[in-house]
Amino acid sequence: MLKKITAILLALAMVFALAACGGTAAPAAPADDAAVTYKVGICNFVDDASLNQICENIQNQLQAIATEKGVNFDIMYDNCNADAQVMNQIISNFIAEGVDLMVAIATPVAMAMQAATEDNQIPVVFAAVSDPLACGVVESLEAPGANITGTSDYLDTNSVMNLIFANNPETAKVGLLYDMGQDSSTTAIAAAKEYLAAKGVEAVEANGTTTQEVMMAAQSLIDSKVDAIFTPSDNTIMTAELSLYEVLAEAGIPHFAGADSFALNGAFLGYGVDYANLGVETANMVASIVIDGADPAATPVMTFDNGTATVNTEICEVLGYDYEAVKASFDGLCTKVVEIQTAESF
């Protein structure tokens, strides 16, 4: 009897031991870090208020989407500071790291990424490309046609011109301050010259590719006694604005430009898209491609209502304008007028 009891106990012990072994072999519950991770490379063209605002909002929105969707975004961010060689190296690094998608901030980066992905077909989403058709990154706005799409900060130049003459109907000479090498300026400057010629108003052009050259160009416009200065969404002039604005204001010349960030950095008026919203929508487009499988070739380029006039009230005062009178003069020419004061960033 004792032998039988011992045998039974041994058998039971083996059963429990096997059960215990089976328990340790069972798969563990998935951890949070097991969520799908998408690797995204973002290259900014240059350090300025407009483009930095876009980058910040792209990253913030991707983080919000990651939380909502239960995924991860591994974001690689870099800034080439307008250096083509550095830009190409950054893009090569993204490709070597096996990114799922690249984001191009501004036209030169979009064109470089387009060229670098012709063979590998890594999806590219651009932001702040003023004229995607003219620079050749898409076949059409409705159907881009390849592995690249994005958001455009296209500027309605005639609307800015209308504001110049609403502010001062006696304007007889307008300075056009821009960088000839900036693709974002080409179409807008051509439109401005056509508008002014039709109105019988003299246009005086001045160019610069560095802050020092921009300052010299601005001084030449002051010496030419222009009544106002227009700049499109030109990154070179944007970078120089903090050095430029006091010179123009003290000379009594209002600077009208193609983005609210110009007004933030001291221009009299910035007219254009909401760059924070542009960044958010760029991130939404990134997510639709990598998470939902949207095809860039069939994803329309997104454009925005650029009817907001942002007036720097400090510069308004220096120029001797009454803000409320300025605002009233713009009635019916833009969707809204907002106030801003000079600062380096939003």
Side-chain angles (χ1 to χ4, degrees):
M1 174 66 73
L2 182 59
K3 289 181 179 180
K4 288 183 178 180
I5 293 173
T6 301
I8 291 170
L9 290 173
L10 286 172
L12 289 172
M14 290 178 67
V15 169
F16 285 122
L18 288 171
C21 288
T24 57
D32 290 341
D33 59 5
V36 176
T37 296
Y38 301 101
K39 188 175 289 188
V40 175
I42 302 174
C43 181
N44 191 3
F45 178 62
V46 73
D47 184 24
D48 73 33
S50 293
L51 303 188
N52 291 347
Q53 189 180 21
I54 294 170
C55 290
E56 180 181 352
N57 280 277
I58 289 174
Q59 294 183 72
N60 289 343
Q61 180 66 4
L62 287 178
Q63 182 56 54
I65 292 170
T67 301
E68 177 188 352
K69 301 285 189 179
V71 301
N72 295 321
F73 283 105
D74 178 7
I75 298 174
M76 300 172 62
Y77 172 82
D78 215 332
N79 188 326
C80 69
N81 290 306
D83 187 314
Q85 185 174 353
V86 173
M87 182 198 309
N88 289 328
Q89 185 57 57
I90 290 170
I91 295 170
S92 294
N93 290 342
F94 288 164
I95 295 172
E97 289 290 334
V99 296
D100 297 297
L101 181 145
M102 290 191 282
V103 178
I105 310 298
T107 303
V109 185
M111 295 174 70
M113 285 186 176
Q114 178 193 39
T117 59
E118 285 182 355
D119 294 330
N120 57 49
Q121 289 295 293
I122 294 172
V124 175
V125 172
F126 57 75
V129 173
S130 300
D131 197 338
L133 284 172
C135 69
V137 295
V138 297
E139 294 178 6
S140 75
L141 298 181
E142 296 75 21
N147 62 309
I148 182 168
T149 187
T151 57
S152 173
D153 60 345
Y154 170 77
L155 178 66
D156 182 355
T157 304
N158 285 0
S159 293
V160 186
M161 295 291 109
N162 289 337
L163 297 180
I164 291 176
F165 291 94
N167 181 64
N168 178 12
E170 302 302 316
T171 296
K173 186 184 294 187
V174 175
L176 305 177
L177 179 62
Y178 65 104
D179 178 355
M180 288 190 295
Q182 288 280 319
D183 293 290
S184 59
S185 291
T186 305
T187 301
I189 290 296
K193 291 164 70 174
E194 182 179 350
Y195 177 103
L196 294 171
K199 205 172 182 68
V201 172
E202 182 180 355
V204 182
E205 297 181 61
N207 312 112
T209 60
T210 66
T211 295
Q212 184 178 2
E213 290 178 0
V214 169
M215 296 297 292
M216 294 173 62
Q219 186 59 53
S220 74
L221 293 176
I222 294 171
D223 295 341
S224 296
K225 301 187 183 303
V226 298
D227 299 305
I229 291 175
F230 167 66
T231 295
S233 51
D234 186 304
N235 291 308
T236 299
I237 311 303
M238 176 72 253
T239 303
E241 189 66 41
L242 283 168
S243 302
L244 177 68
Y245 78 95
E246 289 180 320
V247 175
L248 295 182
E250 289 170 4
I253 300 173
H255 189 190
F256 293 76
D260 58 356
S261 47
F262 280 90
L264 175 77
N265 283 178
F268 165 62
L269 181 144
Y271 179 92
V273 306
D274 179 341
Y275 280 98
N277 182 51
L278 185 146
V280 169
E281 293 299 340
T282 302
N284 289 340
M285 193 173 287
V286 168
S288 72
I289 291 170
V290 296
I291 298 177
D292 302 327
D295 181 5
T299 301
V301 173
M302 184 175 289
T303 57
F304 301 84
D305 171 18
N306 58 6
T308 300
T310 302
V311 176
N312 186 311
T313 52
E314 293 174 318
I315 301 304
C316 195
E317 184 176 350
V318 173
L319 292 170
Y321 299 152
D322 175 73
Y323 170 72
E324 291 301 328
V326 168
K327 184 177 180 180
S329 72
F330 293 161
D331 187 39
L333 298 176
C334 50
T335 55
K336 62 179 177 179
V337 180
V338 299
E339 304 176 41
I340 206 166
Q341 294 188 337
T342 308
E344 289 192 21
S345 61
F346 287 91

